[in-house]
Amino acid sequence: MLLSVKGLSAHYGRVQALSSVDIDAPEGSIVTLIGANGAGKSTFMMAVSGVLRSISGEIEYDGRRIDGLPSDEIVRLGLSQCPEGRRVWPGMTVLENLEMGAFQVGDATLVRDRLMRVYAHFPILEQRSAQLAGSLSGGEQQMLAIGRALMSGPRLLMLDEPSLGLAPIVVEHLVEIIREIRNSGTTIILVEQNAFMALGLADAAYVLETGRVALSGKASELLKNDMVRKSYLGV
Amino acid sequence: MNGRMTGAKWLAGLAGAALLCAVPRFFSLDYYLHMFVMSEIYAVLAMSLALIVGFSGQVSMGHAAFYGVGAYASALISLKSGLPFWVTIWCAGAVAGLLSFVIGKMVLRLRGHFLAITTAFFGVLVTLILNNWIELTNGPMGVPGIPRPSPISLPGLTLSFETRADYYYLGLVFVGLVAFLLYRLVNSRIGNALIAIRENEELARSIGVDAMAYKVFAFTLGGALAGMAGSFYAHYILFISPVTFTIAESINLLVMIIFGGMTTLFGPVFGAVALTLLPEFLRMAGSLRLVIYGVALVIFIIWLPLGVWGTIKSKWMERRG
């Protein structure tokens, strides 16, 4: 198990955002967390990446407890996140954004290698490398955000709502790329509201409801589950 | 970005440096030279503040406190121990840097208005201490009789610091070295981290930038440089008192970097020189002087939010595509 979360709880002031959540991500898999707004999906991600500190429970990554570690330490261990809302630095160029992603990598040739790999996944970023990130389209900014998260060379990549606000054709393209990234050896945790896309892509899935795991299992099985079909797929 | 120096740029730089060195020949009046030396001190202060406010995006309203602490540290150490200015200026940087490190550690968790108010509070606190710790600082009476820097002689040039021109030359070197240091810094990995924090701190942390450490670093270095500027001021004016280092001076420094443009390095220098000299030029307007100064500032800040130099630079970049 690359990531194993046990009894994770988190709260904002008095509001309980996660209560005793257990989630496992085996190496080389795509694990998805689906659920409505406010179900605790992004909170889970922020807790694992160390940005949110007021948590209890155990987070084990690669056999080692990481809860309580600062976020820069966690990135160094190979756990990278791509936060929600395709956040890029609009005033920096595409290339500068990508280079920032490799902030902790001192070795220039390694940075170059990774840049080439990101460009192989996203050829559009190479074409736009000198352009300001703020001038990219929504889909391109999302690709930049994912590319930047890949620049740290993660073993585990956490994507928060990558499909948000993107045209269906762009989402399809994104699905292909996420699959490619997994096939090149990176484990992926995918947080999504687009349950149809997420369940089609993932190996295992967890359904979050008001901070609890309501349902979990193989993604292909959840696709057939009545409750999931009714609440999240609208069929 | 466009960091590469071309031949033409080198030439322009050399010509500019020669022109700056020739200034005392054309403006030999003490009055003019005094304004130029003050411009140099303000240029260092403005650059050091721009590192904190402009590059890392942390608004500080207490910068004059570090200027003052540096001035007092340098003056008191040289008076009590007899160490020369060439040593005490480093002591000033160390003391002011240490203080800004401690304050930075405490306040840089705060954001925006909260940070501005808290730094202002620390600025006021330092002024209160300078005024009331009379055994050490001599209180509101100030510290008189600060020694001049000991003479230095280089091949072909002797600076005795008996004339303002000598201070002017030393100030040029000071400004040049600080500008060079900060230029290298903001164009390095550290500079990128600071800008990333300014633009979006959560995002910077999510890719593994230890935001707090970088913010504290910028605050400490900015404070240390302000302290060294304070040392220069103390051994130039030869008298210091708390009134020079109040919150009004902190705001004055902020206005300089807003006016010049704080996301470049030349902007703060431009702002410092312009706003040191402008009130003097306006003396011919008599009692309307400060009114005109104030109106001009408001107009510039509303119409040129990037600052004068920032606007010129962004227009220039636009035209080059």
Side-chain angles (χ1 to χ4, degrees):
Chain A
M1 213 50 71
L2 185 60
L3 183 79
S4 172
V5 174
K6 287 191 191 73
L8 179 65
S9 299
H11 49 89
Y12 298 108
R14 283 192 178 162
V15 182
Q16 190 85 17
L18 283 179
S19 30
S20 198
V21 166
D22 297 339
I23 286 175
D24 286 328
E27 178 119 48
S29 64
I30 299 180
V31 174
T32 186
L33 269 63
I34 58 177
N37 263 336
K41 307 187 300 291
S42 299
T43 307
F44 173 82
M45 241 185 73
M46 300 211 306
V48 172
S49 61
V51 174
L52 185 70
R53 306 296 292 272
S54 57
I55 56 169
S56 60
E58 288 181 22
I59 304 173
E60 215 176 83
Y61 167 79
D62 200 17
R64 150 169 197 202
R65 285 282 291 272
I66 58 164
D67 43 287
L69 287 184
S71 52
D72 53 304
E73 195 81 20
I74 291 177
V75 173
R76 202 166 290 135
L77 291 172
L79 204 154
S80 173
Q81 69 156 327
C82 176
E84 188 186 347
R86 57 184 100 104
R87 290 202 269 169
V88 296
W89 283 287
M92 295 188 187
T93 66
V94 169
L95 181 62
E96 284 168 338
N97 265 275
L98 289 173
E99 284 173 343
M100 273 313 290
F103 185 72
Q104 295 182 333
V105 185
D107 181 355
T109 41
L110 194 56
V111 174
R112 207 88 219 108
D113 281 358
R114 292 205 181 134
L115 192 62
M116 289 301 122
R117 217 172 307 156
V118 169
Y119 283 161
H121 285 307
F122 307 102
I124 187 80
L125 295 183
E126 186 165 18
Q127 288 169 34
R128 304 266 150 109
S129 65
Q131 217 168 303
L132 289 184
S135 70
L136 299 181
S137 74
E140 289 163 353
Q141 288 190 19
Q142 184 62 65
M143 291 176 196
L144 176 56
I146 297 175
R148 187 187 51 213
L150 286 174
M151 288 295 289
S152 66
R155 276 178 75 190
L156 177 64
L157 174 65
M158 298 194 291
L159 300 171
D160 194 353
E161 305 262 2
S163 76
L164 191 74
L166 298 185
I169 178 100
V170 182
V171 175
E172 260 171 55
H173 182 47
L174 208 60
V175 165
E176 282 314 305
I177 291 168
I178 293 173
R179 209 170 262 140
E180 258 177 61
I181 294 170
R182 192 268 306 269
N183 292 343
S184 65
T186 307
T187 307
I188 290 170
I189 292 185
L190 175 65
V191 165
E192 262 294 344
Q193 280 201 57
N194 183 344
F196 192 68
M197 169 240 186
L199 291 175
L201 181 59
D203 305 303
Y206 293 82
V207 179
L208 285 187
E209 263 172 22
T210 58
R212 291 167 198 283
V213 176
L215 204 61
S216 63
K218 279 190 167 171
S220 54
E221 280 165 15
L222 287 197
L223 257 179
K224 294 182 211 133
N225 181 292
D226 279 343
M227 189 275 257
V228 173
R229 288 171 72 88
K230 209 177 269 166
S231 323
Y232 298 103
L233 302 176
V235 288
Chain B
M1 281 188 288
N2 50 345
R4 205 153 298 144
M5 293 285 254
T6 58
K9 265 193 172 171
W10 271 107
L11 217 61
L14 273 180
L19 209 64
L20 284 172
C21 288
V23 159
R25 297 196 181 277
F26 298 112
F27 300 91
S28 50
L29 268 181
D30 265 0
Y31 165 68
Y32 289 128
L33 281 172
H34 173 67
M35 294 324 301
F36 294 142
V37 174
M38 287 314 294
S39 298
E40 290 168 340
I41 293 172
Y42 280 120
V44 171
L45 288 168
M47 280 190 286
S48 69
L49 183 59
L51 175 68
I52 300 169
V53 183
F55 286 93
S56 32
Q58 311 300 312
V59 180
S60 168
M61 286 184 63
H63 206 56
F66 306 119
Y67 177 38
V69 165
Y72 271 85
S74 185
L76 295 175
I77 291 172
S78 67
L79 282 171
K80 294 198 171 148
S81 71
L83 285 171
F85 163 77
W86 310 106
V87 176
T88 59
I89 186 170
W90 296 103
C91 302
V95 172
L98 188 68
L99 181 72
S100 51
F101 175 79
V102 172
I103 292 179
K105 272 272 187 197
M106 285 192 277
V107 304
L108 286 168
R109 294 170 197 287
L110 303 170
R111 305 267 175 99
H113 305 95
F114 300 103
L115 178 63
I117 297 215
T118 317
T119 48
F121 163 76
F122 273 104
V124 171
L125 194 66
V126 166
T127 319
L128 280 174
I129 293 171
L130 293 181
N131 264 313
N132 291 293
W133 192 357
I134 293 176
E135 306 86 81
L136 182 73
T137 65
N138 207 23
M141 291 83 81
V143 179
I146 302 166
R148 294 172 190 275
S150 46
I152 44 171
S153 41
L154 301 167
L157 177 74
T158 304
L159 297 179
S160 64
F161 298 103
E162 297 294 328
T163 66
R164 290 183 197 274
D166 290 359
Y167 281 101
Y168 172 82
Y169 291 124
L170 179 64
L172 270 189
V173 174
F174 190 25
V175 172
L177 287 178
V178 170
F180 176 73
L181 171 78
L182 291 182
Y183 179 82
R184 291 294 298 267
L185 183 78
V186 300
N187 287 297
S188 73
R189 192 168 165 275
I190 299 174
N192 289 339
L194 293 178
I195 293 169
I197 291 166
R198 176 187 77 202
E199 300 289 326
N200 191 333
E201 189 172 331
E202 270 72 38
L203 190 54
R205 285 171 58 196
S206 82
I207 57 156
V209 176
D210 186 348
M212 189 65 190
Y214 282 94
K215 289 196 289 185
V216 171
F217 169 77
F219 201 77
T220 304
L221 181 61
L225 290 173
M228 293 176 81
S231 167
F232 187 99
Y233 173 85
H235 295 263
Y236 167 61
I237 300 290
L238 311 181
F239 168 78
I240 50 174
S241 79
V243 290
T244 313
F245 311 109
T246 58
I247 188 166
E249 187 73 338
S250 294
I251 292 170
N252 190 24
L253 295 175
L254 272 175
V255 170
M256 284 175 179
I257 66 173
I258 293 168
F259 179 84
M262 59 177 119
T263 56
T264 63
L265 272 180
F266 190 71
V269 176
F270 179 85
V273 175
L275 296 191
T276 310
L277 300 184
L278 186 64
E280 301 301 320
F281 282 123
L282 290 176
R283 272 187 200 280
M284 57 189 92
S287 56
L288 279 177
R289 177 170 82 109
L290 291 179
V291 177
I292 296 175
Y293 177 69
V295 169
L297 275 186
V298 170
I299 289 175
F300 270 110
I301 289 169
I302 290 175
W303 281 346
L304 302 176
L306 289 174
V308 175
W309 183 252
T311 306
I312 293 170
K313 193 174 168 185
S314 85
K315 287 266 185 290
W316 172 251
M317 302 269 272
E318 245 167 56
R319 276 184 51 186
R320 289 172 65 197

